Amino acid sequence: MNPLIELDQSTLDAADKSQLKAWIQALVSQASETTVLLQAKTAEIKRKDFKIEALTFELPRLRRIQFGAKNETLSPLQRDIFAETLAADIAAIEVELEQLADIEPCATVAKPKRPRAGRQPLPEHLPRIEHHHEPESCTCGQCGNDLVKIGEDITEQLDVEPAKFFVHRHIRPQYACRRCETMTAAPIPPAVIDGGMAAVGLLTWIMISKFVDHLPLYRLEQIAARDQVGLARSTLAEWVGRVGVALQPLVDRLIWHLLQGNTLHADETPVAQLDPGKGKTRKAYLWAYRSNDLQEDQPRLIVFDYQPGRSGEHARQFLGNWSGHLLVDDYAGYKALFASTGNRQGCIELACRACAA
């Protein structure tokens, strides 16, 4: 039963009943406030528990990114992708806020813009296309007198011309001698691929895009298709193979120059190689050989040797009979190079300071 009703039915006098009613109502109000406060505290605890749980799952991931094995960490290029996306989003938001401020100005004090650092000058070797912007009239709009040039305001903008396809037409007139009954014409211009339709510039663009910019051939096919130029992937792959054979003499010459030095740096790094027969990737190795920058009479050269494994035999085959100072890490595959065998004199080992530390 309601305690207030029981109090009304009791034999207490009116003054005591009134005082007890006030106490009961105060207790009920205090209990109600306590219930609301407990509900708010419970909601706050749940929110904090949820936050702690989220951070508990996030912390191992961050630790794995920073300290985990190499195959579990994000590469610097992948981290740069997120940083680039964040910078682009921030710039877009700032522009939208500026547009909103122009449309609906507010009475609040605007935050002063952060001063921007002076941008770097554009490279001097780039060609300049000058655009002269003269005023509509050479007379003063106030008094009508002739205007006198007192200076120039010069601003520069960087621009780029995307890959532009065009055709070289080689016209070779043919001449005949009526008396000798012979015909004369200029020789066919030399080409990297005899009888092919690809000029040197197109082959260069394909090789740089594939091996420097890491664009697969299907993307190059799509880029050409936007200009209504049909370049099948099979054709592009054939050109890549033919150019590789054509450039082999240049590679051999670079290796010859590299082996003329008396000090070399060597190292190997794993790369993932597709294994179509098994439907997955296997580990191959890219061996790098670098000249000594401190040797003034030798050009700075780096030659890469792609091999399917990490056996030290690959280094021995590349260096051949070369003997000199070889700077490598403590990988056992290089040890055979430092021993003299038969007619071959062993190399002199230079220890890697970073590995020793």
Side-chain angles (χ1 to χ4, degrees), residues 172-300:
R172 300 165 50 243
Q174 298 178 349
Y175 298 93
C177 177
R178 296 182 182 275
R179 177 181 297 180
C180 302
E181 296 183 355
T182 57
M183 186 177 65
T184 303
I188 298 176
V192 177
I193 301 176
D194 292 334
M197 71 172 184
V200 176
L202 178 60
L203 295 176
T204 303
W205 174 71
I206 294 172
M207 300 298 286
I208 292 177
S209 299
K210 177 175 174 57
F211 294 104
V212 179
D213 299 331
H214 306 290
L215 292 177
L217 295 181
Y218 80 89
R219 291 187 180 176
L220 301 183
E221 181 183 17
Q222 294 173 350
I223 293 174
R226 288 201 296 267
D227 280 351
Q228 299 180 357
V229 177
L231 294 178
R233 252 173 290 179
S234 58
T235 303
L236 295 175
E238 179 184 354
W239 289 350
V240 170
R242 289 179 174 269
V243 170
V245 175
L247 292 178
Q248 188 59 46
L250 177 59
V251 176
D252 296 337
R253 190 61 177 173
L254 288 176
I255 296 175
W256 183 88
H257 279 288
L258 181 72
L259 298 181
Q260 299 308 304
N262 57 13
T263 303
L264 294 180
H265 302 244
D267 197 8
E268 78 292 335
T269 183
V271 292
Q273 175 181 314
L274 293 177
D275 193 354
K278 298 182 180 179
K280 58 183 181 180
T281 60
R282 59 185 300 272
K283 184 181 292 186
Y285 282 86
L286 192 64
W287 296 71
Y289 303 90
R290 196 179 196 279
S291 62
N292 183 17
D293 292 347
L294 301 179
Q295 190 172 349
E296 298 180 354
D297 57 344
Q298 185 182 23
R300 180 178 298 181

Side-chain angles (χ1 to χ4, degrees), residues 104-126:
E104 299 179 359
C106 56
T108 58
V109 179
K111 182 179 179 181
K113 292 184 178 181
R114 183 180 61 182
R116 296 181 178 269
R119 68 181 184 184
Q120 297 294 327
L122 298 179
E124 294 293 337
H125 69 277
L126 297 179

Side-chain angles (χ1 to χ4, degrees), residues 306-322:
Y306 191 85
Q307 295 294 343
R310 200 188 180 193
S311 172
E313 183 63 25
H314 299 306
R316 291 192 290 271
Q317 290 179 358
F318 182 88
L319 296 176
N321 294 326
W322 180 85

